[in-house]
């Protein structure tokens, strides 16, 4: 699904360059759930941006679902993103003046789907993440966990083959984080590949494979021996979580 070979990426800094990715070789297969960890400055965000076709690279080759991704026009890049990728962010990135249904339906608006049809489809995805009863609520009326579920439903509505999640639990309390991870795991079991950038070790151990980046290179890439079931951990977590 994702194949990176010899990926290098630098950014201009003054009269020089900052070499961020230094020969990344990475394969993520269909249906995998992978986490990427690394300290600040290790290249996690840059790697996510390259995989998400949000940034180009300098050297190497990137194949996404067998499509070569390099030097694309913005229109073609947007086409691949809309067709193949879904994005989930730490800050949710919901539009505050639109309700949950309208936020979820937004990708279909850009695809030219009529309003009634896209809202009907949005409701099915809100049901999928357990929020159909909150369809008319704006983001300010939802908890952090609920907002992230809306964001996940929005990422799913175009039926992407890969979801890229950048610190999806970073703004949530522990129990709510596990509940959001349970939703992502359910989606993964239906066949969608999921790549999660995280700094939280407990979250990384809820995935099937853990990649460590150090100074722009892959330091390790190993299967998680016994992935934790986020749903069972959420049920046993202490304390009172916000409504998720």
């Amino acid at each position: 699904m994702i194949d990176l070979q010899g990926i290098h990426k630098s950014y201009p800094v003054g009269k020089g360059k900052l070499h961020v990715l230094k020969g990344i070789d990475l394969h993520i297969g269909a249906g995998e759930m992978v986490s990427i960890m690394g300290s600040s400055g290790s290249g996690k965000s840059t790697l996510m941006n390259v995989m998400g076709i949000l940034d180009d690279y300098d050297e190497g080759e990137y194949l996404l679902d067998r499509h070569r991704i390099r030097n694309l026009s913005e229109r073609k890049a947007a086409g691949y993103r809309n067709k193949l990728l879904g994005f989930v962010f730490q800050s949710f990135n919901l539009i505050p003046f639109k309700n949950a249904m309208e936020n979820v339906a937004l990708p279909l608006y850009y695809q030219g789907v009529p309003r009634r049809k896209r809202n009907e489809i949005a409701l099915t995805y809100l049901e999928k993440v357990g929020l159909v009863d909150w369809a008319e609520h704006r983001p300010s009326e939802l908890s952090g966990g609920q907002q992230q579920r809306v964001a996940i439903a929005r990422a799913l509505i175009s039926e992407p083959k890969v979801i890229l999640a950048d610190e999806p639990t970073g703004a949530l309390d522990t129990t709510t984080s596990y509940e959001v991870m349970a939703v992502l795991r359910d989606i993964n079991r239906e066949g969608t590949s999921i790549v999660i950038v995280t700094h939280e070790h407990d979250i990384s151990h809820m995935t099937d494979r853990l990649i460590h980046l150090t100074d722009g290179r892959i330091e390790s890439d190993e299967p998680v021996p016994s992935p934790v079931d986020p749903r069972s951990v959420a049920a046993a977590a202490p304390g009172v979580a916000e409504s998720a």
Side-chain angles (χ1 to χ4, degrees):
M1 185 55 62
I2 289 178
D3 281 292
L4 303 173
Q5 296 182 10
I7 296 294
H8 288 260
K9 175 65 180 178
S10 297
Y11 294 102
V13 177
K15 295 182 179 180
K17 288 186 176 181
L18 178 63
H19 197 179
V20 180
L21 299 180
K22 305 172 182 177
I24 297 291
D25 294 320
L26 178 61
H27 172 76
I28 297 172
E32 281 200 275
M33 188 170 187
V34 177
S35 53
I36 299 175
M37 299 192 74
S39 60
S40 179
S42 63
K44 303 188 305 296
S45 295
T46 300
L47 178 58
M48 184 68 88
N49 286 343
V50 169
M51 288 191 291
I53 326 179
L54 299 170
D55 206 350
D56 210 347
Y57 52 95
D58 302 325
E59 299 177 33
E61 184 173 67
Y62 175 21
L63 297 179
L64 175 61
D65 194 30
R66 298 187 295 276
H67 299 282
R68 187 171 186 268
I69 306 299
R70 184 71 191 271
N71 295 327
L72 302 177
S73 67
E74 180 50 41
R75 182 175 181 178
K76 195 159 189 179
Y80 282 133
R81 285 194 296 266
N82 292 337
K83 181 180 178 182
L84 299 173
L85 300 172
F87 296 89
V88 179
F89 303 97
Q90 177 177 348
S91 56
F92 319 133
N93 288 5
L94 301 178
I95 298 176
F97 57 84
K98 291 186 177 291
N99 63 34
M101 178 182 64
E102 291 166 336
N103 268 282
V104 173
L106 196 59
L108 300 185
Y109 167 80
Y110 291 114
Q111 294 176 24
V113 177
R115 180 176 180 178
R116 179 176 292 181
K117 180 63 175 178
R118 67 177 183 260
N119 286 346
E120 288 175 359
I121 297 172
L123 288 175
T124 66
Y125 281 92
L126 282 172
E127 186 171 15
K128 193 179 188 72
V129 298
L131 284 179
V132 70
D133 292 339
W134 296 82
E136 302 293 336
H137 291 252
R138 293 186 179 185
S140 62
E141 300 171 309
L142 303 175
S143 71
Q146 288 170 328
Q147 290 184 62
Q148 193 61 292
R149 288 185 183 217
V150 171
I152 291 170
R154 181 185 59 193
L156 285 173
I157 199 167
S158 296
E159 299 183 346
K161 294 191 175 183
V162 181
I163 286 181
L164 301 176
D166 191 0
E167 299 283 1
T169 61
L172 305 176
D173 66 74
T174 300
T175 304
T176 308
S177 294
Y178 296 165
E179 291 168 344
V180 166
M181 284 299 295
V183 173
L184 289 173
R185 174 54 85 180
D186 289 344
I187 293 164
N188 170 250
R189 287 180 178 134
E190 294 177 358
T192 304
S193 301
I194 298 180
V195 182
I196 298 174
V197 165
T198 182
H199 66 276
E200 300 167 289
H201 288 277
D202 54 343
I203 296 300
S204 70
H205 284 87
M206 295 176 182
T207 67
D208 300 317
R209 184 172 150 210
L210 174 56
I211 297 164
H212 276 279
L213 286 186
T214 301
D215 194 25
R217 296 182 173 89
I218 293 179
E219 179 182 10
S220 63
D221 181 351
E222 302 289 342
V224 176
S226 299
V228 176
D229 179 0
R231 203 172 297 282
S232 63
V233 177
V240 178
E242 59 182 320
S243 176

